[in-house]
Amino acid sequence: MQWLPIETAPKDETLILLYFPTGRDDEDRYKVGFWSPDGDWFGSEAASNSLTAFGDKPTHWAPLKPPST
């Protein structure tokens, strides 16, 4: 997987893998989310909760792989 700068991430509500460098563990460092028209990153499991509410911002992203069949 190749990480890309967050500035190049899609802004069309596409789900992607986000990297948060200040996370305490893998659960905090890697999150699936999307950019909302409201102007913030939101998680896939709770679209009403901002991923940056506590000041942590993603620095990189990667596309999600399609499921294997």
Side-chain angles (χ1 to χ4, degrees):
M1 170 181 354
Q2 180 178 358
W3 289 101
L4 302 164
I6 197 64
E7 297 80 20
T8 65
K11 301 285 199 266
D12 62 358
E13 299 184 58
T14 299
L15 285 176
I16 58 176
L17 183 61
L18 296 162
Y19 175 70
F20 292 81
T22 58
R24 295 169 292 175
D25 53 32
D26 283 351
E27 186 176 332
D28 288 338
R29 275 191 285 274
Y30 306 102
K31 297 185 182 267
V32 174
F34 65 94
W35 181 258
S36 165
D38 295 332
D40 200 359
W41 293 104
F42 286 85
S44 62
E45 68 283 343
S48 62
N49 294 332
S50 165
L51 293 176
T52 62
F54 298 105
D56 195 11
K57 299 203 182 302
T59 59
H60 291 81
W61 74 281
L64 293 173
K65 292 183 178 183
S68 300
T69 57

